[in-house]
Amino acid sequence: MRGIISAAGYVPYWRLQRSAITAFHGGRGIGARSVASYDEDTTTLAVEAARLLPHDGVPTPTSLWFVTSDPTYLEKNNASILHAALRLPATAGAFDLGGSLRSAAGALRAALASTEPSLVVSADIRAGLPNSADESAGGDAAAALLVGEADHVAAEYLGGASATREFLDRWRTPGDGRNRQWEEKFGEKHYLTLATAAFGDALANAGLSADDVDSVVVATAHPRAGGVVGKKLGRPLGEDLTSTVGKAGAAQPGLLLTNAIETAAPGTVIALVCLADGADVFLFRVTGERRAARTVAEQVERGNDDLPYAKYLAWRGVMTPEPPRRPEPARMSGSAAGRSVDWKYGFVGSRDRETGALHLPPARVSFEGGNVDDMEPVPMSGAIGTIVTYTVDHLAYSPSPPVIFAVVDFDDGSGGRPGRLPIELTDTTPEQIDVGTKVEMTFRRLNTADGIANYFWKARPRREVAS
């Protein structure tokens, strides 16, 4: 059976109420948008989405394709960082597919046509000028789709089609943080024609009629095309997450498809319609198998809805608050990072084979018994830790002070002595933590200096979904 073997979406913890924007600028805002934290970028968002994928009984991907319209690097391959953080085998290729929003549909289509299992990861951080439609309607998110052949898949691929025509709709020149758009009616007209043609071709290719489609999910950055196209196709519209997440750019197709798979009953036929410089239609039948560790709906439910607008502007670099009077961090050493890839990107410690003592970071000499070079690697990115003590530092340099630093005990379940590590906390406030708080690991950007992004792991409180 061919299709989506497993799917997962990642919605950042923070939410900006649209009413907070209009309270500052005037007007009326409804709902909220998701906001990536100051220490998140599209690379870290993508890692988090991929980490939520179910791993039991699934094939190891032979290639990883990363799609974003807002890459951390140009020329350097961002997908290689994902490859390291996910600890994929060296034989698995890792490639960037970026620039246009349509690259997300292209990567999915190419993966579905491939004979080997592929991991398609998409992520975007959507910005815009203050009080612009993009600022309010956008949303930051990521999605990961493991695509290939398997006895059990989350959604079986039934068929699809594309329709392409050159026209000017949305654009952004390299280096410009502002998106521009031609008159809405112009793009709406073209998308309606293209989507209708692609939908008809997809049904013919799959041997289905329109009545066989139970739900249509439309992914587009166009303000009006989604609703008009959905109405024209004449089938029930699936949830588009605009009121809780926003339009997530290149991540939107994967995120909406994941949410649809997670919420649909087995046997439901879903049409994913992607509108970006053309139309791409994918038809899937949901099986009800392989639920992600955390669904999109669960992440939406547990978000923090009280992000101040001023802090959002600071995180986006629109407003620069007075930083702590401390030197900014020096640039990361490429050679030093190259000597500790498993620790820095994969958060892999070591355990003394004789005593079971866990070492974070990995060590050659055991702190119990003094054994030398008798260690085995222990991946710890999925481990749960417990805060032993913590401090709130208002003087240390941070783009978003204060810094919350904690000493955390990690138990890998082996029965040996837990590993202890001082580590920075994120996605929290001082009021939300205490000694004994359980934390989990998350891949983040520590800082950027000389154009080099310094990635490592932080801890965040482990939150349960409210009933």
Side-chain angles (χ1 to χ4, degrees):
M1 189 180 299
R2 183 156 199 80
I4 308 297
I5 299 174
S6 59
Y10 173 64
V11 181
Y13 173 65
W14 300 99
R15 308 284 184 277
L16 175 65
Q17 295 293 328
R18 295 186 175 104
S19 59
I21 302 175
T22 57
F24 186 88
H25 296 285
R28 189 169 68 96
I30 300 175
R33 60 156 292 168
S34 58
V35 177
S37 179
Y38 72 95
D39 55 358
E40 293 184 294
D41 58 17
T42 53
T43 301
T44 67
L45 295 180
V47 170
E48 291 301 297
R51 292 180 66 217
L52 291 172
L53 285 171
H55 298 294
D56 293 338
V58 301
T60 300
T62 59
S63 60
L64 182 155
W65 300 341
F66 177 41
V67 182
T68 182
S69 69
D70 184 31
T72 300
Y73 292 112
L74 297 176
E75 298 207 16
K76 174 175 170 49
N77 193 43
N78 298 275
S80 298
I81 301 172
L82 274 70
H83 184 283
L86 300 175
R87 302 187 65 240
L88 295 179
T91 54
F95 311 99
D96 285 354
L97 283 77
S100 74
L101 298 186
R102 199 178 188 187
S103 296
L108 177 57
R109 182 168 300 283
L112 289 167
S114 174
T115 59
E116 299 180 341
S118 303
L119 179 57
V120 178
V121 191
S122 54
D124 241 343
I125 292 179
R126 307 300 287 170
L129 296 177
N131 201 35
S132 66
D134 282 343
E135 179 189 60
S136 177
D140 307 334
L145 305 172
L146 180 60
V147 181
E149 295 272 359
D151 293 336
H152 302 281
V153 297
E156 179 187 5
Y157 180 55
L158 305 177
S162 293
T164 302
R165 185 181 190 277
E166 164 57 21
F167 62 98
L168 190 62
D169 177 36
R170 293 175 63 86
W171 70 96
R172 172 163 51 92
T173 55
D176 188 359
R178 173 191 177 188
N179 288 302
R180 303 169 189 268
Q181 182 172 336
W182 203 255
E183 197 274 323
E184 290 181 9
K185 193 69 176 177
F186 178 74
E188 178 185 323
K189 171 186 173 183
H190 287 294
Y191 283 129
L192 186 59
T193 301
L194 293 166
T196 304
F199 186 68
D201 290 344
L203 292 174
N205 293 338
L208 301 175
S209 68
D211 292 339
D212 293 325
V213 177
D214 299 298
S215 178
V216 174
V217 178
V218 182
T220 180
H222 194 284
R224 301 191 308 189
V228 173
V229 167
K231 184 177 180 180
K232 178 67 174 179
L233 298 182
R235 304 307 300 153
L237 283 177
E239 188 176 6
D240 62 6
L241 301 176
T242 55
S243 64
T244 55
V245 177
K247 295 183 181 296
Q252 192 181 21
L255 187 72
L256 295 186
L257 177 60
T258 298
N259 184 61
I261 292 172
E262 292 171 342
T263 56
T268 300
V269 175
I270 298 171
L272 172 65
V273 180
C274 306
L275 305 178
D277 293 292
D280 297 274
V281 178
F282 304 87
L283 298 172
F284 296 96
R285 180 178 287 113
V286 177
T287 67
E289 301 192 39
R290 291 215 169 91
R291 173 187 167 102
R294 289 172 184 156
T295 67
V296 172
E298 288 170 345
Q299 295 175 69
V300 169
E301 182 182 353
R302 68 177 187 173
N304 188 321
D305 295 327
D306 299 321
L307 179 68
Y309 183 51
K311 179 159 285 192
Y312 166 81
L313 293 176
W315 285 359
R316 290 294 178 268
V318 177
M319 181 179 69
T320 306
E322 177 72 14
R325 290 179 172 83
R326 292 293 185 274
E328 295 188 19
R331 73 174 183 176
M332 180 193 79
S333 168
S335 53
R339 291 192 295 268
S340 57
V341 169
D342 280 352
W343 168 245
K344 180 174 177 57
Y345 295 99
F347 202 62
V348 178
S350 63
R351 180 170 52 221
D352 182 2
R353 288 186 172 89
E354 180 178 335
T355 66
L358 179 63
H359 296 73
L360 300 172
R364 293 182 58 195
V365 180
S366 176
F367 58 70
E368 281 193 9
N371 292 327
V372 180
D373 291 338
D374 190 25
M375 301 283 185
E376 60 181 348
V378 184
M380 295 296 294
S381 62
I384 304 301
T386 304
I387 294 179
V388 178
T389 185
Y390 69 94
T391 183
V392 181
D393 194 334
H394 292 267
L395 297 179
Y397 178 83
S398 171
S400 185
V403 173
I404 307 175
F405 219 76
V407 175
V408 178
D409 275 354
F410 292 93
D411 189 350
D412 67 344
S414 66
R417 182 173 171 181
R420 176 169 288 186
L421 182 71
I423 199 159
E424 187 176 343
L425 302 185
T426 189
D427 284 355
T428 190
T429 63
E431 296 77 23
Q432 294 177 332
I433 61 170
D434 205 344
V435 173
T437 297
K438 297 295 183 181
V439 297
E440 61 189 12
M441 302 309 295
T442 177
F443 190 68
R444 296 299 170 103
R445 186 176 62 190
L446 298 185
N447 54 67
T448 300
D450 196 24
I452 302 173
N454 185 17
Y455 295 103
F456 190 56
W457 296 79
K458 295 184 181 182
R460 64 185 173 200
R462 184 172 176 82
R463 297 179 174 93
E464 299 298 329
V465 178
S467 61

